[in-house]
């Protein structure tokens, strides 16, 4: 992102929006996405100032079907491929998003594609994580929101009641608190450094929106198909990646 910002400042004939799209495609190539032949990039985007992005993108807490299908025009197979394919790489960082961990054990490579096989594991545990400005995070076990079926969608709100979510919030204001699922290692509730995972081993993470891919009956068949065939996932992701 730093390099992309430097390039954006040096090249002014192309909009920042187009540069971001080009950077995304270059990143997929560096991360060894196997179907680069399917990706197409079109230019002509315009930059707009003072745009409120909050609410324009799918929430990490909600079922993505309505946003992707009704508002963005993707079909169910495409949206499952785009979310799962996008989460084949990368990690989440507590002080940036409130979430901590990687979606796969190889966050710097698109292959092997393990997001969907791991999504159907049965050892996921749910935590609420409160990240603090001193670069610590408090992990607190919470009930599985999908234990009785698909979770209810939540409206994102920011108010004083959120500060009571973690025990130490009474004496230190949390920067952000979020719920996520983790698998791969066991650890006790408590305070841990944000920059390191709270246990040894491969700490995998999933968002609520990830779990809707397996709990929503419209999306689940596609998630299972991708779990069994990573070539199908790569092909569908490449075709759906309209930029």
């Amino acid at each position: 992102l730093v390099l992309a910002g430097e390039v954006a400042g040096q090249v002014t004939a192309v909009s920042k929006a187009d540069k971001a799209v080009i950077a995304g495609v270059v990143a997929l190539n560096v991360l060894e996405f196997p179907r680069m032949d399917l990706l197409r990039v079109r230019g002509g985007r315009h930059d707009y100032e003072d745009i409120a992005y909050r609410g324009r993108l799918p929430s990490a807490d909600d079922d993505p079907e309505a946003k992707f299908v009704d508002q963005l025009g993707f079909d169910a197979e495409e949206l499952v491929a785009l979310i799962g394919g996008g989460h084949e790489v990368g990690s989440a960082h507590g002080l940036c998003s409130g979430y901590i961990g990687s979606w796969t054990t190889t966050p710097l490579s698109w292959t092997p594609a393990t997001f969907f096989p791991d999504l159907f594991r049965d050892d996921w545990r749910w935590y609420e994580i409160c990240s603090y400005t001193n670069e610590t995070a408090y992990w607190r076990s919470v009930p599985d929101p999908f234990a009785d079926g698909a979770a209810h969608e939540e409206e994102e709100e920011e108010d004083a009641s959120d500060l009571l979510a973690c025990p130490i919030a009474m004496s230190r204001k949390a920067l952000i608190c979020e719920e996520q699922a983790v698998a791969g290692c066991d650890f006790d509730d408590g305070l841990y450094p944000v920059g390191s995972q709270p246990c040894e081993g491969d700490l995998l993470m999933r968002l609520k929106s990830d779990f809707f891919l397996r709990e929503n009956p419209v999306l689940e068949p596609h998630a299972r198909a991708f779990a069994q065939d990573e070539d199908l996932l790569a092909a569908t992701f490449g075709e759906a990646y309209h930029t």
Side-chain angles (χ1 to χ4, degrees):
L1 290 176
V2 173
L3 178 59
E6 293 176 352
V7 172
Q10 296 172 7
V11 182
T12 57
V14 181
S15 69
K16 293 180 181 178
D18 281 341
K19 293 168 189 172
V21 169
I22 294 170
V25 174
V26 172
L28 282 171
N29 186 46
V30 172
L31 296 169
E32 301 176 329
F33 175 61
R35 294 304 308 271
M36 293 298 297
D37 59 302
L38 296 176
L39 303 187
R40 298 290 183 270
V41 178
R42 295 188 299 271
R45 295 168 184 80
H46 298 282
D47 295 326
Y48 295 94
E49 303 295 334
D50 301 322
I51 295 294
Y53 290 99
R54 187 177 181 84
R56 293 172 61 88
L57 296 176
S59 168
D61 285 331
D62 296 343
D63 187 334
E65 183 183 5
K67 176 72 76 170
F68 273 78
V69 175
D70 298 339
Q71 297 183 33
L72 301 180
F74 295 101
D75 63 32
E77 183 182 41
E78 289 174 329
L79 85 83
V80 174
L82 288 170
I83 293 176
H87 289 172
E88 287 293 348
V89 296
S91 301
H93 306 279
L95 293 180
C96 297
S97 66
Y99 303 102
I100 298 175
S102 300
W103 280 275
T104 72
T105 59
T106 55
L108 297 180
S109 177
W110 207 89
T111 56
T114 59
F115 173 86
F116 284 109
D118 284 336
L119 181 62
F120 290 97
R121 295 170 58 150
D122 59 7
D123 62 339
W124 291 102
R125 299 169 57 190
W126 286 86
Y127 289 87
E128 180 173 62
I129 307 170
C130 289
S131 298
Y132 295 84
T133 54
N134 67 347
E135 299 188 0
T136 60
Y138 192 92
W139 295 68
R140 181 175 69 92
S141 300
V142 296
D144 180 353
F146 294 89
D148 298 321
H152 294 292
E153 295 187 8
E154 298 181 357
E155 293 293 332
E156 292 187 5
E157 297 181 355
E158 296 178 357
D159 58 50
S161 64
D162 292 337
L163 302 182
L164 302 178
C166 298
I168 61 174
M170 295 295 293
S171 59
R172 184 186 305 147
K173 183 176 180 180
L175 178 66
I176 188 171
C177 295
E178 298 288 1
E179 287 187 10
Q180 69 175 62
V182 301
C185 56
D186 295 323
F187 54 92
D188 295 327
D189 290 10
L191 194 66
Y192 298 92
V194 169
S196 61
Q197 63 186 41
C199 59
E200 296 182 0
D202 295 317
L203 178 67
L204 300 178
M205 65 148 310
R206 291 291 184 275
L207 309 174
K208 286 184 180 178
S209 55
D210 293 326
F211 264 77
F212 276 108
L213 301 184
R214 81 175 204 180
E215 300 296 335
N216 181 320
V218 175
L219 308 180
E220 185 267 349
H222 303 294
R224 287 200 180 273
F226 294 144
Q228 297 170 5
D229 189 344
E230 67 178 73
D231 292 333
L232 174 63
L233 170 61
T236 307
F237 179 90
E239 292 285 358
Y241 194 89
H242 304 309
T243 59

